[in-house]
Amino acid sequence: MKEYTRREYYRDLNGAFLYSSRMRAILGSVEIRRGDLLSMTTEIGMAMKYVNNMEYREVYAERGRLLASLALSSYVPFGKAGLEYAKKKLGIENFAEYQYRSALSNGKIDRVFLNDEEKAELKEIFYRFYDDKVKDDFAGVVLTFIRAAIARYELKYSDWLSLVAANTLADEEVEKSGIIDLTKHIPKVPEAELDDEKRFYIDAVLDRWKTGEVFDFDLSDEEYARLMHGELEGIIISDPERLAEADCKIELKWTSLVAEAVATEVVRYRSVKDIDEKLCRGCLIRSDEGSDVALIRFKRCTAARLYLGLYHLEYDSRILGDLADGDLFNLIIKDATIYEPLYAYDKFILTDKVTGRRIGAQGKEYSSTHNSKSSLMKVYKPHLPSNVTEADIDALGEEDWKRGVKYIHARFEGDIE
């Protein structure tokens, strides 16, 4: 089994993103001189494959297109004049932060999740959007393509976007200084004079991409188990900007799964220390002790389900033994409440908790859930290697069977590098 590479990850991510109804609607509804933002992001993705610097080809073209699409989902037309109007209209001083959070929320609604590195890059794009000079890092490269695309569309010039951006990136001064000067090769778009028609259009754009806050949190194994067992009903977060409110959406992620929830109540405190200890027991704490906090009570709306990537499980090589390509084996997992979506995966990754070795596996025929030993043993293949011993099965208690035991008839597909 070949590794699910970063390139494939971004291809799948971007593919799902581009066909998502909300994001397509947002990008397709903002008109520019020769089309709309959706066509612009498509051209940016194509152009990034042709830059001279190999580092930014192929894999990074997909990632760049994704970041450009998210950045443009919170784009305000008519340059700095449009931006200043939008800031006054919404009464927001730090508008770059507001755009960043809105872009994340727009993406999350359509199941686009970024890692910490990507979030930092997206934020950098918003904070440096109108700077003439940017760092020669990935965020700076993506911003170079965005600015070149805006200039091309607004000014109706015919040079290939890839040529303009590549010339900017290939400038000798970029390599020497580590700074990209966007003024050297990208034509400046004149500032627009705002009239009533343009203001009305900006109002419509703001209304279109504005969403409620969507909070997402990564869970540990133990936290995810609490969630699936109904023992987790709230989360405590730092909220100095008072962004949390009833009905806001919450995404709770573990390995390659996400469970959706909606806030039913939001109560604010000066610090975590001010919250009764009993209230904290049923909550995750994602807050510093000294900050203003919000206790969000939530109701889980969905069971955890696949969003991206491959499912990760653990095994013990001292029990399962050595496997050759194509070998069949028994995979038995306690607590089917947690692993309930596993049937949706035709492939998954097993990590040896002793050595750290990662192997690829595939559910050959089926997976099934059992609430008694007699039921499990009807499908168990005693002649095949197993990740647990029969003594382990005998040791399962009433609570284990109540929560379910999952059985998978699996096939080994090689090491994951």
Side-chain angles (χ1 to χ4, degrees):
M1 176 181 174
K2 68 182 181 66
E3 183 178 3
Y4 196 75
T5 64
R6 193 167 179 82
R7 174 179 177 181
E8 289 168 330
Y9 169 85
Y10 281 109
R11 180 176 295 156
D12 285 359
L13 177 62
N14 205 32
F17 171 76
L18 290 176
Y19 288 100
S20 59
S21 58
R22 175 168 178 79
M23 291 305 302
R24 287 181 65 86
I26 292 172
L27 295 171
S29 65
V30 181
E31 297 177 359
I32 44 184
R33 293 287 181 91
R34 304 191 327 167
D36 54 36
L37 295 181
L38 184 61
S39 57
M40 182 188 290
T41 58
T42 301
E43 187 171 358
I44 288 172
M46 294 175 62
M48 285 194 73
K49 294 179 182 178
Y50 296 100
V51 294
N52 295 331
N53 190 336
M54 285 294 293
E55 182 183 359
Y56 298 121
R57 292 192 183 188
E58 299 296 338
V59 178
Y60 296 99
E62 298 297 334
R63 180 177 173 183
R65 186 182 183 186
L66 171 66
L67 290 178
S69 299
L70 284 169
L72 290 170
S73 76
S74 293
Y75 172 69
V76 178
F78 311 123
K80 292 181 181 179
L83 192 66
E84 288 302 315
Y85 171 77
K87 287 171 62 175
K88 292 179 182 178
K89 174 78 177 180
L90 298 177
I92 296 172
E93 185 60 34
N94 190 348
F95 200 72
E97 183 68 20
Y98 182 77
Q99 287 178 292
Y100 164 70
R101 298 183 74 99
S102 296
L104 285 183
S105 291
N106 285 329
K108 290 171 192 172
I109 287 173
D110 285 326
R111 316 218 60 73
V112 177
F113 297 101
L114 304 183
N115 60 33
D116 290 343
E117 180 185 8
E118 294 154 350
K119 288 178 182 178
E121 290 167 344
L122 181 62
K123 178 177 282 193
E124 185 75 9
I125 290 171
F126 281 116
Y127 274 78
R128 301 286 177 254
F129 202 92
Y130 288 107
D131 288 0
D132 290 332
K133 296 181 179 181
V134 296
K135 295 178 184 177
D136 181 25
D137 54 16
F138 192 75
V141 170
V142 175
L143 184 53
T144 298
F145 277 92
I146 292 174
R147 291 280 294 275
I150 290 173
R152 180 183 176 191
Y153 275 69
E154 291 286 356
L155 299 175
K156 301 183 180 179
Y157 67 92
S158 59
D159 290 349
W160 285 103
L161 175 60
S162 56
L163 179 62
V164 174
N167 285 343
T168 304
L169 297 173
D171 193 300
E172 291 183 1
E173 288 300 316
V174 173
E175 187 173 354
K176 292 179 182 178
S177 64
I179 299 295
I180 302 171
D181 187 346
L182 301 179
T183 65
K184 295 187 71 172
H185 299 280
I186 299 174
K188 186 175 179 62
V189 179
E191 286 296 322
E193 291 285 340
L194 295 189
D195 53 28
D196 289 342
E197 183 178 352
K198 289 185 175 66
R199 293 187 187 94
F200 181 82
Y201 185 67
I202 294 173
D203 291 344
V205 169
L206 293 176
D207 185 63
R208 202 168 287 127
W209 57 253
K210 182 181 178 183
T211 67
E213 187 75 12
V214 180
F215 297 91
D216 68 291
F217 303 98
D218 292 312
L219 305 185
S220 66
D221 294 359
E222 294 78 11
E223 290 168 342
Y224 177 76
R226 289 174 62 195
L227 178 70
M228 291 296 105
H229 297 154
E231 299 166 3
L232 195 62
E233 57 183 23
I235 188 164
I236 298 169
I237 65 168
S238 298
D239 191 29
E241 298 180 45
R242 303 179 71 82
L243 293 168
E245 57 186 11
D247 296 328
C248 66
K249 295 183 178 180
I250 299 169
E251 307 278 0
L252 300 160
K253 298 183 291 179
W254 173 70
T255 181
S256 296
L257 304 180
V258 62
E260 297 172 339
V262 62
T264 57
E265 180 186 23
V266 177
V267 183
R268 289 185 166 78
Y269 298 87
R270 292 291 298 273
S271 74
V272 177
K273 293 180 180 179
D274 294 331
I275 305 176
D276 188 281
E277 184 179 346
K278 293 180 181 179
L279 295 179
C280 292
R281 288 175 190 166
C283 296
L284 296 176
I285 298 179
R286 296 289 193 271
S287 169
D288 297 327
E289 288 189 358
S291 60
D292 294 335
V293 298
L295 190 161
I296 307 173
R297 296 285 181 193
F298 60 75
K299 180 180 180 181
R300 183 161 61 95
C301 302
T302 65
R305 60 186 178 183
L306 169 72
Y307 66 99
L308 280 175
L310 297 181
Y311 208 108
H312 290 253
L313 303 170
E314 285 189 331
Y315 77 101
D316 190 328
S317 57
R318 294 169 298 188
I319 299 173
L320 185 59
D322 292 327
L323 297 172
D325 282 358
D327 280 355
L328 302 177
F329 62 96
N330 298 305
L331 182 60
I332 296 173
I333 310 168
K334 290 197 305 182
D335 203 341
T337 307
I338 294 178
Y339 296 98
E340 56 186 3
L342 192 56
Y343 71 89
Y345 293 75
D346 60 342
K347 294 183 178 181
F348 46 90
I349 295 174
L350 293 170
T351 301
D352 185 352
K353 57 187 178 183
V354 178
T355 66
R357 177 192 181 192
R358 299 199 308 160
I359 63 174
Q362 181 171 17
K364 184 178 183 296
E365 293 182 359
Y366 59 85
S367 67
S368 53
T369 300
H370 303 272
N371 297 103
S372 68
K373 180 182 177 182
S374 60
S375 172
L376 173 63
M377 297 313 289
K378 288 179 181 178
V379 296
Y380 182 78
K381 309 291 191 298
H383 62 284
L384 294 179
S386 176
N387 70 311
V388 298
T389 65
E390 289 198 41
D392 292 325
I393 297 175
D394 289 334
L396 294 174
E398 182 180 346
E399 190 65 23
D400 295 319
W401 291 113
K402 181 180 177 181
R403 289 179 171 172
V405 175
K406 184 167 285 293
Y407 171 76
I408 301 170
H409 188 201
R411 181 176 64 203
F412 174 65
E413 292 198 339
D415 284 272
I416 303 287
E417 296 299 333

